[in-house]
Amino acid sequence: MTAFPFDNSYARDLEGLWLKSLPSCVSDPQLIRFNNELADELGLALAEFDDQALANIFAGNELPATAQPLAMAYAGHQFGHFSPQLGDGRAILLGEVIDRNGMRRDIQLKGPGRTPFSRSGDGRAALGPVLREYIVSEFMHAAGIPATRALAAVLTGDEVYRETVKPGGVFTRVASSHIRVGTFQFFAARGDVDAVKRLANFTIARHYREAAHAERPYLALFEAALERQAQLIAKWTAIGFVHGVMNTDNMAVSGETIDFGPCAFIDHYDPDALFSSIDQNGRYAFSNQPLIAQWNLARLAETLVPLIDADQDAAVKLVTDVLETFPARFEAHRLAEMRKKLGLKSAKDGDRALIQQLLDMMQADTIDYTVAFRALADCLEPGGQDSAFSALFADKEKTDSWLQAWRRRIAVDGTDGASAKAIILAANPAYIPRNHRIEEAIRAAEDQGDLAPFHRLVDVLAKPFEDQPVNAAYQTPPLPEERVTKTFCGT
Ligand code: AMP
Ligand code: MG
């Protein structure tokens, strides 16, 4: 049996949507971390590969015989401005496998050297962003949020030149596909309706099979993709994730979170939270994410119009009607997520207000979002102490009255304390990749060659909902001087 049972449908079925591209060799590949569990899920048979053999493959120095390396073409609206040609400038798809659940998954190297789409870039990745993507994408998965996965991180032994000289790395990303809104835009912008149609058919077959049987398959594709985005953004909002660079080339049509560049997690609750150093106008601020998702989906809709109906006005009307369902869908999913955070089982009219009151209280007192929600569980201890939670807030009276309203609401569900507590503990992570911890791991690795903080952080975050007394320090919000207020792409 071959170690990499690739079956490369993108290469086979979508000629003209990609260009062949080989990884360039690096000097001294060293394995940083390999995700054995994921490799197993993917059906890779790597038992005979030692760390060096894995490093050679996942640095791009050795190619599996079945690999068919390619760079995908895509365009994208970056901060609202259209770039007709982006493409995989520092990523190469090695191939696709069918995983143990029968799902097709892409295995892609990030940082393996220049491709035909590299423009002026070096096609390389610095170690820091490689570690960040490993940490955050694996956490997202552990937290139950659809995301691309981390299979491997490798040090190249070469330097890359950014603002300063950095150690180079290669990251291996696994995705249910790398089809982006920008992939559709690339061909639509060229007026290549046939390519858009082939891509849409491929996307339906890979991600939205039910759409094939709809009266209007491409409209159904759009609606299904929109629904998944509404779910996704609601889920990531609920844990305080700020994507940071929701350009249309960074939105996967599959509904997985993709691209962990200048992403961050809110500490205290703040709808305007913005971390990305390259986002001067707050386009991708925390509370703007659903609006941007809808804006990006409008760009996807535009590419599908010619496929939906020969009568352009009719097609536009159809997609617009679907597009306009986004805010309501998002809000419904957001409320569903927030109800879980409060330990609620059913949906009742006053829930939105109850949730909003709590968020307002958190915002007023700049209270750590993750700590506060997790502390709610303690209020349901048999003794019924509200102390840990209440102690966070300045206005005791207001807090008590909110807690009373919340307890009454739980009672309406007929849930006992232990069950409500279980819902809360399963919905509110104790551990998130706090920005200062990510920064600490990157600094240790880049500046001292010390990868221990990175490994420890990945290990802690693998079980975000479990209390881990020995790792309690990772729950603690940053001290004022530790707070990270800006994140950088650093790619
Ligand atoms: P991103 O910031 O990851 O969304 O990337 C935007 C575009 O820039 C994509 O087309 C990338 O492939 C390209 N890009 C980013 N960094 C590099 C690099 N170091 N070399 C070549 N292309 C790059
Ligand atoms: Mg990107």
Side-chain angles (χ1 to χ4, degrees), residues 150-210:
L151 181 61
V154 171
L155 260 174
T156 61
D158 297 320
E159 293 175 329
V160 296
Y161 302 91
R162 299 294 181 258
E163 308 83 49
T164 56
V165 181
K166 304 271 188 195
V170 178
F171 177 78
T172 304
R173 174 163 70 188
V174 173
S176 69
S177 86
H178 284 88
I179 303 165
R180 305 147 191 268
V181 170
T183 320
F184 284 86
Q185 289 181 289
F186 183 94
F187 299 98
R190 283 163 177 71
D192 189 347
V193 177
D194 176 61
V196 176
K197 189 169 188 171
R198 286 193 295 138
L199 179 62
N201 289 338
F202 182 91
T203 307
I204 289 172
R206 189 154 172 179
H207 298 296
Y208 299 104
R209 292 227 174 121
E210 62 291 352

Short mmCIF file of all heavy atoms in Angstrom, two decimals, residues 150-210:
data_model
loop_
_atom_site.label_atom_id
_atom_site.label_comp_id
_atom_site.label_asym_id
_atom_site.label_seq_id
_atom_site.Cartn_x
_atom_site.Cartn_y
_atom_site.Cartn_z
N ALA A 150 -4.02 21.15 10.93
CA ALA A 150 -2.57 21.16 10.88
C ALA A 150 -2.07 19.72 10.87
O ALA A 150 -2.32 18.98 11.81
CB ALA A 150 -2.02 21.89 12.10
N LEU A 151 -1.37 19.36 9.81
CA LEU A 151 -0.81 18.01 9.76
C LEU A 151 0.66 18.01 10.19
O LEU A 151 1.09 17.11 10.88
CB LEU A 151 -0.94 17.43 8.34
CG LEU A 151 -0.40 16.01 8.15
CD1 LEU A 151 -1.15 15.01 9.03
CD2 LEU A 151 -0.49 15.58 6.69
N ALA A 152 1.40 19.04 9.77
CA ALA A 152 2.83 19.06 10.11
C ALA A 152 3.37 20.47 10.12
O ALA A 152 2.86 21.35 9.42
CB ALA A 152 3.61 18.22 9.09
N ALA A 153 4.39 20.67 10.94
CA ALA A 153 5.17 21.90 10.91
C ALA A 153 6.63 21.50 10.86
O ALA A 153 7.07 20.63 11.62
CB ALA A 153 4.90 22.76 12.15
N VAL A 154 7.35 22.13 9.95
CA VAL A 154 8.75 21.77 9.72
C VAL A 154 9.59 23.03 9.70
O VAL A 154 9.15 24.08 9.22
CB VAL A 154 8.85 21.03 8.34
CG1 VAL A 154 10.30 20.82 7.94
CG2 VAL A 154 8.11 19.71 8.38
N LEU A 155 10.78 22.93 10.26
CA LEU A 155 11.76 24.01 10.13
C LEU A 155 12.59 23.73 8.88
O LEU A 155 12.96 22.58 8.64
CB LEU A 155 12.72 23.98 11.32
CG LEU A 155 12.52 24.95 12.47
CD1 LEU A 155 13.50 24.61 13.59
CD2 LEU A 155 12.74 26.39 12.01
N THR A 156 12.88 24.78 8.12
CA THR A 156 13.57 24.54 6.85
C THR A 156 15.10 24.59 6.96
O THR A 156 15.80 24.09 6.09
CB THR A 156 13.16 25.59 5.80
OG1 THR A 156 13.54 26.88 6.31
CG2 THR A 156 11.67 25.54 5.54
N GLY A 157 15.59 25.26 8.01
CA GLY A 157 17.05 25.47 8.08
C GLY A 157 17.48 26.67 7.26
O GLY A 157 18.67 27.01 7.22
N ASP A 158 16.52 27.32 6.59
CA ASP A 158 16.84 28.52 5.80
C ASP A 158 16.25 29.75 6.48
O ASP A 158 15.29 29.64 7.24
CB ASP A 158 16.24 28.40 4.39
CG ASP A 158 16.83 27.26 3.62
OD1 ASP A 158 18.06 27.05 3.72
OD2 ASP A 158 16.07 26.55 2.93
N GLU A 159 16.79 30.89 6.14
CA GLU A 159 16.24 32.13 6.68
C GLU A 159 15.27 32.73 5.69
O GLU A 159 15.40 32.54 4.48
CB GLU A 159 17.39 33.11 6.93
CG GLU A 159 18.30 32.64 8.05
CD GLU A 159 19.50 33.56 8.23
OE1 GLU A 159 19.96 34.15 7.23
OE2 GLU A 159 19.98 33.65 9.38
N VAL A 160 14.28 33.44 6.22
CA VAL A 160 13.42 34.22 5.33
C VAL A 160 13.54 35.69 5.76
O VAL A 160 13.83 35.99 6.92
CB VAL A 160 11.95 33.77 5.34
CG1 VAL A 160 11.81 32.36 4.80
CG2 VAL A 160 11.34 33.86 6.72
N TYR A 161 13.32 36.55 4.79
CA TYR A 161 13.53 37.97 5.03
C TYR A 161 12.20 38.69 5.11
O TYR A 161 11.47 38.77 4.13
CB TYR A 161 14.44 38.55 3.93
CG TYR A 161 15.75 37.80 3.91
CD1 TYR A 161 15.92 36.67 3.10
CD2 TYR A 161 16.79 38.15 4.78
CE1 TYR A 161 17.10 35.93 3.13
CE2 TYR A 161 17.97 37.42 4.81
CZ TYR A 161 18.11 36.31 3.99
OH TYR A 161 19.26 35.59 4.05
N ARG A 162 11.86 39.14 6.30
CA ARG A 162 10.64 39.92 6.51
C ARG A 162 11.09 41.28 7.02
O ARG A 162 12.07 41.79 6.50
CB ARG A 162 9.71 39.18 7.49
CG ARG A 162 9.26 37.78 6.96
CD ARG A 162 8.38 37.90 5.71
NE ARG A 162 7.91 36.62 5.17
CZ ARG A 162 8.43 36.00 4.12
NH1 ARG A 162 9.47 36.50 3.47
NH2 ARG A 162 7.91 34.86 3.68
N GLU A 163 10.42 41.83 8.04
CA GLU A 163 10.94 43.10 8.58
C GLU A 163 12.34 42.84 9.11
O GLU A 163 13.22 43.69 9.07
CB GLU A 163 10.08 43.67 9.70
CG GLU A 163 8.59 43.80 9.40
CD GLU A 163 7.85 42.49 9.62
OE1 GLU A 163 8.03 41.87 10.68
OE2 GLU A 163 7.11 42.08 8.71
N THR A 164 12.50 41.63 9.65
CA THR A 164 13.82 41.19 10.08
C THR A 164 14.03 39.79 9.52
O THR A 164 13.14 39.23 8.90
CB THR A 164 13.89 41.13 11.63
OG1 THR A 164 12.86 40.26 12.08
CG2 THR A 164 13.73 42.50 12.27
N VAL A 165 15.21 39.25 9.77
CA VAL A 165 15.49 37.89 9.30
C VAL A 165 14.83 36.90 10.25
O VAL A 165 14.94 37.04 11.48
CB VAL A 165 17.01 37.64 9.24
CG1 VAL A 165 17.31 36.24 8.72
CG2 VAL A 165 17.66 38.68 8.35
N LYS A 166 14.12 35.92 9.70
CA LYS A 166 13.39 34.95 10.53
C LYS A 166 13.76 33.54 10.10
O LYS A 166 14.07 33.30 8.93
CB LYS A 166 11.88 35.10 10.32
CG LYS A 166 11.33 36.47 10.57
CD LYS A 166 10.94 36.62 12.00
CE LYS A 166 10.20 37.93 12.25
NZ LYS A 166 10.12 38.26 13.63
N PRO A 167 13.63 32.59 11.03
CA PRO A 167 13.77 31.20 10.60
C PRO A 167 12.59 30.82 9.70
O PRO A 167 11.47 31.28 9.92
CB PRO A 167 13.72 30.40 11.91
CG PRO A 167 13.48 31.37 13.01
CD PRO A 167 13.33 32.74 12.45
N GLY A 168 12.86 30.01 8.70
CA GLY A 168 11.80 29.60 7.77
C GLY A 168 11.12 28.32 8.22
O GLY A 168 11.72 27.48 8.90
N GLY A 169 9.86 28.18 7.82
CA GLY A 169 9.13 26.95 8.14
C GLY A 169 8.23 26.57 6.98
O GLY A 169 8.00 27.34 6.06
N VAL A 170 7.76 25.34 7.02
CA VAL A 170 6.71 24.90 6.10
C VAL A 170 5.60 24.30 6.94
O VAL A 170 5.86 23.52 7.86
CB VAL A 170 7.23 23.87 5.06
CG1 VAL A 170 6.08 23.41 4.15
CG2 VAL A 170 8.36 24.46 4.22
N PHE A 171 4.40 24.69 6.61
CA PHE A 171 3.21 24.22 7.34
C PHE A 171 2.42 23.33 6.40
O PHE A 171 2.25 23.66 5.23
CB PHE A 171 2.37 25.45 7.73
CG PHE A 171 1.09 25.10 8.43
CD1 PHE A 171 1.09 24.75 9.77
CD2 PHE A 171 -0.12 25.12 7.75
CE1 PHE A 171 -0.09 24.42 10.43
CE2 PHE A 171 -1.31 24.80 8.41
CZ PHE A 171 -1.29 24.46 9.74
N THR A 172 1.96 22.20 6.89
CA THR A 172 1.10 21.36 6.05
C THR A 172 -0.33 21.49 6.52
O THR A 172 -0.67 21.17 7.65
CB THR A 172 1.54 19.89 6.08
OG1 THR A 172 2.90 19.82 5.69
CG2 THR A 172 0.69 19.06 5.11
N ARG A 173 -1.15 22.01 5.59
CA ARG A 173 -2.55 22.28 5.90
C ARG A 173 -3.42 21.20 5.26
O ARG A 173 -3.19 20.79 4.13
CB ARG A 173 -2.91 23.65 5.33
CG ARG A 173 -4.37 24.01 5.44
CD ARG A 173 -4.59 25.49 5.27
NE ARG A 173 -4.37 25.95 3.91
CZ ARG A 173 -4.35 27.25 3.57
NH1 ARG A 173 -4.47 28.19 4.49
NH2 ARG A 173 -4.15 27.61 2.32
N VAL A 174 -4.43 20.80 6.01
CA VAL A 174 -5.42 19.86 5.48
C VAL A 174 -6.75 20.58 5.45
O VAL A 174 -7.15 21.20 6.44
CB VAL A 174 -5.50 18.60 6.37
CG1 VAL A 174 -6.65 17.70 5.92
CG2 VAL A 174 -4.17 17.84 6.33
N ALA A 175 -7.42 20.52 4.30
CA ALA A 175 -8.70 21.21 4.16
C ALA A 175 -9.67 20.31 3.41
O ALA A 175 -9.25 19.48 2.60
CB ALA A 175 -8.51 22.51 3.37
N SER A 176 -10.95 20.50 3.67
CA SER A 176 -11.91 19.70 2.92
C SER A 176 -11.94 20.15 1.46
O SER A 176 -12.36 19.41 0.59
CB SER A 176 -13.29 19.70 3.56
OG SER A 176 -13.86 20.96 3.44
N SER A 177 -11.45 21.35 1.20
CA SER A 177 -11.00 21.78 -0.13
C SER A 177 -10.42 23.17 0.04
O SER A 177 -10.60 23.80 1.08
CB SER A 177 -12.12 21.80 -1.16
OG SER A 177 -12.82 23.03 -1.14
N HIS A 178 -9.73 23.63 -0.98
CA HIS A 178 -9.19 25.00 -0.95
C HIS A 178 -9.93 25.91 -1.92
O HIS A 178 -9.38 26.91 -2.38
CB HIS A 178 -7.69 24.98 -1.24
CG HIS A 178 -6.87 24.52 -0.09
ND1 HIS A 178 -6.57 23.20 0.14
CD2 HIS A 178 -6.31 25.20 0.93
CE1 HIS A 178 -5.84 23.10 1.24
NE2 HIS A 178 -5.67 24.30 1.74
N ILE A 179 -11.18 25.55 -2.21
CA ILE A 179 -11.98 26.40 -3.11
C ILE A 179 -12.45 27.62 -2.32
O ILE A 179 -13.09 27.47 -1.28
CB ILE A 179 -13.19 25.62 -3.65
CG1 ILE A 179 -12.72 24.37 -4.37
CG2 ILE A 179 -14.04 26.52 -4.56
CD1 ILE A 179 -13.83 23.37 -4.62
N ARG A 180 -12.10 28.78 -2.81
CA ARG A 180 -12.41 30.03 -2.11
C ARG A 180 -13.46 30.80 -2.91
O ARG A 180 -13.64 30.53 -4.11
CB ARG A 180 -11.14 30.88 -2.03
CG ARG A 180 -9.98 30.16 -1.38
CD ARG A 180 -8.65 30.61 -2.01
NE ARG A 180 -7.55 29.74 -1.58
CZ ARG A 180 -6.79 29.98 -0.53
NH1 ARG A 180 -6.97 31.07 0.17
NH2 ARG A 180 -5.83 29.15 -0.20
N VAL A 181 -14.06 31.79 -2.28
CA VAL A 181 -14.90 32.72 -3.05
C VAL A 181 -14.05 33.28 -4.18
O VAL A 181 -14.48 33.39 -5.33
CB VAL A 181 -15.47 33.83 -2.15
CG1 VAL A 181 -16.12 34.93 -2.97
CG2 VAL A 181 -16.45 33.24 -1.13
N GLY A 182 -12.80 33.58 -3.86
CA GLY A 182 -11.88 34.14 -4.86
C GLY A 182 -11.58 33.22 -6.02
O GLY A 182 -11.16 33.69 -7.09
N THR A 183 -11.74 31.92 -5.84
CA THR A 183 -11.51 31.00 -6.96
C THR A 183 -12.58 31.23 -8.03
O THR A 183 -12.29 31.29 -9.23
CB THR A 183 -11.55 29.53 -6.48
OG1 THR A 183 -10.88 29.43 -5.22
CG2 THR A 183 -10.88 28.61 -7.48
N PHE A 184 -13.82 31.39 -7.58
CA PHE A 184 -14.91 31.70 -8.52
C PHE A 184 -14.65 33.06 -9.18
O PHE A 184 -14.86 33.24 -10.37
CB PHE A 184 -16.25 31.73 -7.78
CG PHE A 184 -16.78 30.34 -7.46
CD1 PHE A 184 -16.38 29.67 -6.32
CD2 PHE A 184 -17.66 29.72 -8.33
CE1 PHE A 184 -16.86 28.40 -6.04
CE2 PHE A 184 -18.15 28.44 -8.05
CZ PHE A 184 -17.75 27.78 -6.91
N GLN A 185 -14.19 34.00 -8.36
CA GLN A 185 -13.98 35.36 -8.89
C GLN A 185 -12.90 35.41 -9.97
O GLN A 185 -13.00 36.19 -10.91
CB GLN A 185 -13.58 36.30 -7.74
CG GLN A 185 -14.71 36.61 -6.78
CD GLN A 185 -14.22 37.58 -5.70
OE1 GLN A 185 -13.44 37.22 -4.82
NE2 GLN A 185 -14.66 38.82 -5.78
N PHE A 186 -11.88 34.57 -9.83
CA PHE A 186 -10.78 34.58 -10.80
C PHE A 186 -11.32 34.36 -12.21
O PHE A 186 -10.99 35.10 -13.13
CB PHE A 186 -9.78 33.47 -10.43
CG PHE A 186 -8.57 33.40 -11.32
CD1 PHE A 186 -7.39 34.05 -10.96
CD2 PHE A 186 -8.58 32.68 -12.51
CE1 PHE A 186 -6.27 33.99 -11.77
CE2 PHE A 186 -7.46 32.61 -13.32
CZ PHE A 186 -6.30 33.27 -12.95
N PHE A 187 -12.21 33.38 -12.37
CA PHE A 187 -12.70 33.03 -13.70
C PHE A 187 -13.84 33.94 -14.13
O PHE A 187 -13.94 34.29 -15.30
CB PHE A 187 -13.06 31.55 -13.75
CG PHE A 187 -11.84 30.71 -13.47
CD1 PHE A 187 -11.58 30.20 -12.20
CD2 PHE A 187 -10.89 30.52 -14.46
CE1 PHE A 187 -10.42 29.50 -11.93
CE2 PHE A 187 -9.72 29.83 -14.20
CZ PHE A 187 -9.48 29.32 -12.93
N ALA A 188 -14.67 34.33 -13.14
CA ALA A 188 -15.77 35.25 -13.47
C ALA A 188 -15.22 36.57 -14.00
O ALA A 188 -15.74 37.13 -14.97
CB ALA A 188 -16.64 35.48 -12.25
N ALA A 189 -14.13 37.04 -13.38
CA ALA A 189 -13.56 38.33 -13.78
C ALA A 189 -13.02 38.27 -15.21
O ALA A 189 -12.93 39.29 -15.89
CB ALA A 189 -12.44 38.74 -12.82
N ARG A 190 -12.65 37.08 -15.66
CA ARG A 190 -12.16 36.91 -17.03
C ARG A 190 -13.29 36.59 -18.00
O ARG A 190 -13.05 36.29 -19.17
CB ARG A 190 -11.14 35.77 -17.07
CG ARG A 190 -9.80 36.19 -16.54
CD ARG A 190 -8.92 34.99 -16.18
NE ARG A 190 -7.62 35.47 -15.72
CZ ARG A 190 -7.41 36.09 -14.56
NH1 ARG A 190 -8.43 36.29 -13.72
NH2 ARG A 190 -6.21 36.50 -14.22
N GLY A 191 -14.51 36.57 -17.49
CA GLY A 191 -15.64 36.25 -18.36
C GLY A 191 -15.67 34.79 -18.78
O GLY A 191 -16.32 34.42 -19.75
N ASP A 192 -14.94 33.96 -18.04
CA ASP A 192 -14.86 32.54 -18.39
C ASP A 192 -15.99 31.76 -17.67
O ASP A 192 -15.76 31.09 -16.67
CB ASP A 192 -13.48 32.00 -18.00
CG ASP A 192 -13.22 30.60 -18.52
OD1 ASP A 192 -14.19 29.94 -18.96
OD2 ASP A 192 -12.06 30.16 -18.47
N VAL A 193 -17.19 31.89 -18.22
CA VAL A 193 -18.36 31.28 -17.58
C VAL A 193 -18.24 29.75 -17.55
O VAL A 193 -18.67 29.10 -16.60
CB VAL A 193 -19.67 31.72 -18.30
CG1 VAL A 193 -20.89 31.03 -17.69
CG2 VAL A 193 -19.83 33.23 -18.23
N ASP A 194 -17.61 29.21 -18.58
CA ASP A 194 -17.45 27.76 -18.61
C ASP A 194 -16.61 27.27 -17.41
O ASP A 194 -16.96 26.29 -16.76
CB ASP A 194 -16.78 27.34 -19.92
CG ASP A 194 -16.52 25.84 -19.94
OD1 ASP A 194 -17.50 25.08 -19.85
OD2 ASP A 194 -15.33 25.44 -19.99
N ALA A 195 -15.53 28.00 -17.10
CA ALA A 195 -14.69 27.61 -15.96
C ALA A 195 -15.47 27.77 -14.65
O ALA A 195 -15.39 26.92 -13.75
CB ALA A 195 -13.42 28.45 -15.92
N VAL A 196 -16.25 28.84 -14.54
CA VAL A 196 -17.06 29.04 -13.33
C VAL A 196 -18.03 27.87 -13.19
O VAL A 196 -18.22 27.33 -12.09
CB VAL A 196 -17.83 30.38 -13.37
CG1 VAL A 196 -18.74 30.52 -12.15
CG2 VAL A 196 -16.86 31.56 -13.43
N LYS A 197 -18.60 27.46 -14.31
CA LYS A 197 -19.57 26.36 -14.27
C LYS A 197 -18.90 25.04 -13.87
O LYS A 197 -19.44 24.30 -13.05
CB LYS A 197 -20.21 26.22 -15.65
CG LYS A 197 -21.37 25.26 -15.68
CD LYS A 197 -22.10 25.39 -17.01
CE LYS A 197 -23.37 24.59 -16.98
NZ LYS A 197 -24.20 24.86 -18.14
N ARG A 198 -17.73 24.79 -14.42
CA ARG A 198 -17.02 23.56 -14.04
C ARG A 198 -16.66 23.58 -12.56
O ARG A 198 -16.78 22.58 -11.85
CB ARG A 198 -15.76 23.39 -14.91
CG ARG A 198 -16.10 22.97 -16.35
CD ARG A 198 -14.87 22.50 -17.10
NE ARG A 198 -13.91 23.57 -17.30
CZ ARG A 198 -12.59 23.44 -17.16
NH1 ARG A 198 -12.05 22.29 -16.80
NH2 ARG A 198 -11.80 24.47 -17.37
N LEU A 199 -16.23 24.74 -12.09
CA LEU A 199 -15.89 24.87 -10.67
C LEU A 199 -17.13 24.69 -9.79
O LEU A 199 -17.09 24.02 -8.75
CB LEU A 199 -15.25 26.24 -10.42
CG LEU A 199 -14.84 26.55 -8.99
CD1 LEU A 199 -13.77 25.57 -8.49
CD2 LEU A 199 -14.31 27.99 -8.88
N ALA A 200 -18.24 25.27 -10.23
CA ALA A 200 -19.49 25.15 -9.46
C ALA A 200 -19.94 23.68 -9.42
O ALA A 200 -20.34 23.17 -8.36
CB ALA A 200 -20.57 26.03 -10.07
N ASN A 201 -19.84 23.01 -10.55
CA ASN A 201 -20.24 21.59 -10.57
C ASN A 201 -19.33 20.77 -9.66
O ASN A 201 -19.79 19.88 -8.93
CB ASN A 201 -20.18 21.04 -12.01
CG ASN A 201 -21.29 21.60 -12.87
OD1 ASN A 201 -22.32 22.05 -12.36
ND2 ASN A 201 -21.08 21.60 -14.17
N PHE A 202 -18.05 21.07 -9.70
CA PHE A 202 -17.08 20.38 -8.86
C PHE A 202 -17.40 20.63 -7.37
O PHE A 202 -17.38 19.71 -6.54
CB PHE A 202 -15.68 20.89 -9.21
CG PHE A 202 -14.57 20.23 -8.44
CD1 PHE A 202 -13.93 19.10 -8.92
CD2 PHE A 202 -14.12 20.78 -7.23
CE1 PHE A 202 -12.89 18.50 -8.21
CE2 PHE A 202 -13.09 20.19 -6.52
CZ PHE A 202 -12.47 19.05 -7.02
N THR A 203 -17.73 21.88 -7.06
CA THR A 203 -18.03 22.26 -5.67
C THR A 203 -19.30 21.56 -5.17
O THR A 203 -19.36 21.10 -4.02
CB THR A 203 -18.18 23.79 -5.56
OG1 THR A 203 -17.03 24.41 -6.12
CG2 THR A 203 -18.33 24.24 -4.12
N ILE A 204 -20.28 21.48 -6.05
CA ILE A 204 -21.51 20.77 -5.68
C ILE A 204 -21.19 19.30 -5.40
O ILE A 204 -21.60 18.75 -4.37
CB ILE A 204 -22.58 20.90 -6.80
CG1 ILE A 204 -23.11 22.34 -6.85
CG2 ILE A 204 -23.71 19.90 -6.60
CD1 ILE A 204 -24.02 22.64 -8.03
N ALA A 205 -20.43 18.69 -6.28
CA ALA A 205 -20.12 17.26 -6.12
C ALA A 205 -19.30 17.02 -4.85
O ALA A 205 -19.44 16.00 -4.18
CB ALA A 205 -19.37 16.75 -7.35
N ARG A 206 -18.46 17.98 -4.52
CA ARG A 206 -17.56 17.77 -3.38
C ARG A 206 -18.17 18.17 -2.04
O ARG A 206 -17.93 17.52 -1.03
CB ARG A 206 -16.27 18.56 -3.62
CG ARG A 206 -15.18 18.24 -2.61
CD ARG A 206 -13.82 18.51 -3.18
NE ARG A 206 -12.80 18.37 -2.15
CZ ARG A 206 -11.50 18.53 -2.37
NH1 ARG A 206 -11.08 18.83 -3.58
NH2 ARG A 206 -10.64 18.40 -1.39
N HIS A 207 -18.97 19.24 -2.06
CA HIS A 207 -19.44 19.78 -0.77
C HIS A 207 -20.95 19.86 -0.60
O HIS A 207 -21.43 19.91 0.52
CB HIS A 207 -18.89 21.20 -0.57
CG HIS A 207 -17.41 21.27 -0.51
ND1 HIS A 207 -16.68 20.66 0.49
CD2 HIS A 207 -16.51 21.85 -1.34
CE1 HIS A 207 -15.38 20.89 0.27
NE2 HIS A 207 -15.26 21.60 -0.83
N TYR A 208 -21.67 19.97 -1.69
CA TYR A 208 -23.11 20.26 -1.57
C TYR A 208 -23.91 19.37 -2.52
O TYR A 208 -24.63 19.86 -3.39
CB TYR A 208 -23.36 21.75 -1.86
CG TYR A 208 -22.64 22.67 -0.89
CD1 TYR A 208 -21.49 23.36 -1.26
CD2 TYR A 208 -23.11 22.84 0.42
CE1 TYR A 208 -20.82 24.19 -0.36
CE2 TYR A 208 -22.46 23.67 1.32
CZ TYR A 208 -21.32 24.35 0.92
OH TYR A 208 -20.67 25.17 1.81
N ARG A 209 -23.77 18.07 -2.31
CA ARG A 209 -24.38 17.13 -3.25
C ARG A 209 -25.88 17.32 -3.42
O ARG A 209 -26.42 17.14 -4.51
CB ARG A 209 -24.14 15.69 -2.77
CG ARG A 209 -22.69 15.31 -2.84
CD ARG A 209 -22.48 13.96 -3.47
NE ARG A 209 -21.05 13.79 -3.61
CZ ARG A 209 -20.36 12.79 -3.06
NH1 ARG A 209 -21.00 11.85 -2.40
NH2 ARG A 209 -19.06 12.74 -3.21
N GLU A 210 -26.55 17.69 -2.30
CA GLU A 210 -28.00 17.83 -2.38
C GLU A 210 -28.40 18.90 -3.40
O GLU A 210 -29.47 18.82 -4.00
CB GLU A 210 -28.59 18.10 -0.99
CG GLU A 210 -28.15 19.37 -0.27
CD GLU A 210 -26.68 19.41 0.21
OE1 GLU A 210 -25.98 18.37 0.14
OE2 GLU A 210 -26.24 20.49 0.65
#
